[in-house]
C-alpha cells in the first residue's frame, strides 16, 4: 500500500476562503477542537494529499460539482453534492481532486480527541449529509460576513459558530451512531434536557444513574466514551454554560445567576466559574 505525504497543488483560479484566525484561537471553535476550516472552489489540475497519522480528522462536504478521492489502499470514489467525507486522523492517507471543471467544498480539520465526535469510523466514510445546506450557510456567514466589527458582530459570529457546531454534532450522531449506541445517546439527550430544566437541583451521579437505569461504572464509561468527561463534569458544564448565557444575554445579577443554577455560596460560584472559563463572572456581565 502506497504511503501518501501532505502536499497541495492548486490550478489557476482556484479560490479558498478560511475561518478567521481569531475564531480558531479563542471562542467555541477553539473549545470544540476546530483547527482549521473553510470553503474552497477547486479547478481542474488541483490536487490535495493528506497523510495518515495526522493530529486531526478531516470532514469534507461537497456542495457542488464532484470530487475524486484516491485512498492509499487504491480505493477510488466520487464525492457528489450533498455527500460528506470523513477521514479519521489515524486512518489511511488520501488524495482528492476535482472530477468536474469546478468542485465546491466546505471543510474542517478537527482535533483527534474532540469530545463531540462520537464513535467516528476508524478509517473513512462517505455518507449523505442531512444538514449539508445548513452547514454551508453557517460557514458562509462566518467567513464572508463583512459587517462592522462591533459588539453585535462578535456576538453574531459566536452565535453562528455555536450553530455550526450543533449541525456538525447532529451530522456525526446521525452518521456514526447505530443500534444500542444511538439508543443510549437519545437517552443521554433526554437526561441533559432534564438537568437543564431543573438547573438549580444539586444533581449527583446516583440521580443520573437512577434516571438512566445504569450502574455507576456503566454510566461513567458511556459518558466518557460519548462526551470525554464524567457524568458530574457534564452536569457542571451544563450549569456553567447556562450561567454564562444568563450573564451574557439576560441581564441577571451575578448573585441571581448563582442562585438559579444551585449555588448557595456566591464565592463558590465565583471560584467555579473562574476555574471553568478562566475569567470572572463580573467580566461577563
Amino acid at each position: 500500500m502506497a504511503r501518501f505525504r501532505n502536499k497541495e497543488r492548486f490550478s489557476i483560479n482556484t479560490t479558498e476562503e478560511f475561518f478567521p484566525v481569531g475564531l480558531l484561537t479563542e471562542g467555541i471553535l477553539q473549545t470544540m477542537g476546530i483547527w482549521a476550516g473553510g470553503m474552497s472552489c477547486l479547478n481542474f489540475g488541483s490536487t490535495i494529499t493528506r497523510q495518515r497519522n495526522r493530529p486531526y480528522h478531516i470532514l469534507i462536504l461537497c456542495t457542488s460539482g464532484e470530487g475524486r478521492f484516491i485512498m492509499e489502499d487504491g480505493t477510488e470514489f466520487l464525492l457528489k453534492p450533498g455527500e460528506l467525507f470523513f477521514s479519521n486522523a489515524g486512518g489511511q492517507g488520501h488524495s482528492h481532486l476535482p472530477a468536474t471543471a469546478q468542485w465546491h467544498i466546505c471543510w474542517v480539520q478537527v482535533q483527534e480527541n474532540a469530545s463531540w465526535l462520537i464513535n467516528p469510523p476508524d478509517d473513512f466514510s462517505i455518507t449523505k449529509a442531512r444538514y449539508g445546506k445548513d452547514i454551508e450557510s453557517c460557514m458562509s456567514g462566518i467567513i464572508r460576513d463583512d459587517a462592522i466589527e462591533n459588539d453585535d458582530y462578535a456576538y453574531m459570529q459566536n452565535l453562528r459558530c455555536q450553530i455550526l457546531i450543533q449541525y456538525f454534532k447532529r451530522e456525526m450522531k446521525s452518521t456514526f451512531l447505530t443500534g444500542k449506541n444511538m439508543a443510549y445517546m437519545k437517552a443521554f439527550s433526554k437526561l441533559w434536557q432534564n438537568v437543564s430544566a431543573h438547573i438549580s437541583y444539586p444533581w449527583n451521579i446516583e440521580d443520573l444513574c437512577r434516571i438512566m437505569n445504569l450502574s455507576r461504572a456503566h454510566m461513567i464509561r458511556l459518558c466518557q466514551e460519548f462526551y470525554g468527561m464524567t457524568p458530574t463534569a457534564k452536569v457542571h458544564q451544563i450549569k456553567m454554560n447556562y450561567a454564562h448565557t444568563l450573564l451574557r444575554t439576560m441581564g441577571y445579577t451575578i448573585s441571581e445567576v448563582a442562585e438559579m443554577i444551585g449555588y448557595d455560596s456566591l464565592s463558590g460560584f465565583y471560584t467555579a466559574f473562574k476555574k471553568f472559563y478562566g475569567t470572572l463572572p463580573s467580566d461577563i456581565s
Side-chain angles (χ1 to χ4, degrees):
M1 182 169 62
R3 288 300 181 101
F4 291 178
R5 295 289 181 264
N6 287 336
K7 63 181 179 180
E8 300 172 354
R9 183 181 68 195
F10 297 112
S11 61
I12 297 174
N13 297 326
T14 286
T15 59
E16 289 200 296
E17 301 173 276
F18 303 99
F19 285 145
V21 174
L23 295 178
L24 298 171
T25 56
E26 59 184 21
I28 190 168
L29 292 185
Q30 188 271 338
T31 302
M32 300 303 290
I34 304 296
W35 279 20
M39 305 177 72
S40 303
C41 174
L42 303 177
N43 291 341
F44 268 139
S46 299
T47 305
I48 299 174
T49 302
R50 292 292 178 255
Q51 66 187 39
R52 64 170 57 223
N53 296 325
R54 307 174 304 268
Y56 55 86
H57 306 295
I58 297 173
L59 291 113
I60 299 176
L61 171 69
C62 177
T63 57
S64 69
E66 293 182 356
R68 184 162 69 96
F69 282 73
I70 305 170
M71 309 304 295
E72 282 183 330
D73 65 3
T75 300
E76 294 191 27
F77 56 87
L78 292 178
L79 194 71
K80 299 179 180 181
E83 292 183 336
L84 180 71
F85 169 76
F86 174 86
S87 174
N88 193 293
Q92 60 180 304
H94 68 271
S95 289
H96 54 277
L97 58 153
T100 51
Q102 290 188 328
W103 181 36
H104 293 261
I105 59 174
C106 297
W107 58 273
V108 292
Q109 295 175 355
V110 184
Q111 188 175 345
E112 59 181 328
N113 62 351
S115 62
W116 57 274
L117 277 175
I118 310 300
N119 292 335
D122 293 333
D123 192 358
F124 73 95
S125 67
I126 309 97
T127 55
K128 187 68 176 178
R130 295 176 59 191
Y131 305 97
K133 292 293 184 183
D134 302 297
I135 291 171
E136 181 184 6
S137 178
C138 278
M139 291 188 66
S140 178
I142 292 169
I143 293 170
R144 297 170 178 168
D145 189 350
D146 59 356
I148 298 173
E149 295 195 19
N150 52 26
D151 289 343
D152 289 337
Y153 169 84
Y155 173 74
M156 288 303 299
Q157 285 291 68
N158 185 61
L159 182 61
R160 288 191 185 100
C161 291
Q162 292 185 53
I163 294 172
L164 176 65
I165 291 298
Q166 289 304 314
Y167 279 129
F168 270 125
K169 289 173 71 174
R170 291 180 182 182
E171 198 69 71
M172 298 304 98
K173 289 176 184 177
S174 64
T175 301
F176 302 139
L177 283 178
T178 58
K180 186 175 289 187
N181 279 343
M182 178 62 82
Y184 280 136
M185 181 55 70
K186 289 181 178 179
F188 270 118
S189 295
K190 291 181 180 180
L191 173 65
W192 306 136
Q193 290 173 14
N194 194 18
V195 170
S196 297
H198 303 87
I199 199 71
S200 65
Y201 184 78
W203 296 94
N204 57 45
I205 193 166
E206 286 74 23
D207 299 321
L208 305 176
C209 291
R210 184 176 63 255
I211 293 173
M212 290 288 290
N213 194 28
L214 295 173
S215 69
R216 183 187 183 99
H218 197 187
M219 180 75 176
I220 292 174
R221 184 183 66 77
L222 286 176
C223 209
Q224 286 282 7
E225 180 179 347
F226 289 164
Y227 304 102
M229 63 185 74
T230 65
T232 51
K234 181 63 178 176
V235 170
H236 182 65
Q237 180 189 65
I238 293 170
K239 285 177 176 279
M240 290 295 105
N241 289 343
Y242 194 83
H244 191 282
T245 299
L246 292 176
L247 291 169
R248 176 68 177 82
T249 64
M250 303 301 291
Y252 289 104
T253 66
I254 295 173
S255 59
E256 287 173 333
V257 171
E259 183 178 355
M260 290 170 72
I261 68 168
Y263 277 82
D264 296 327
S265 166
L266 187 58
S267 62
F269 174 66
Y270 262 87
T271 299
F273 194 93
K274 177 67 162 58
K275 184 176 181 180
F276 189 84
Y277 282 109
T279 188
L280 294 172
S282 54
D283 296 329
I284 304 298
S285 58

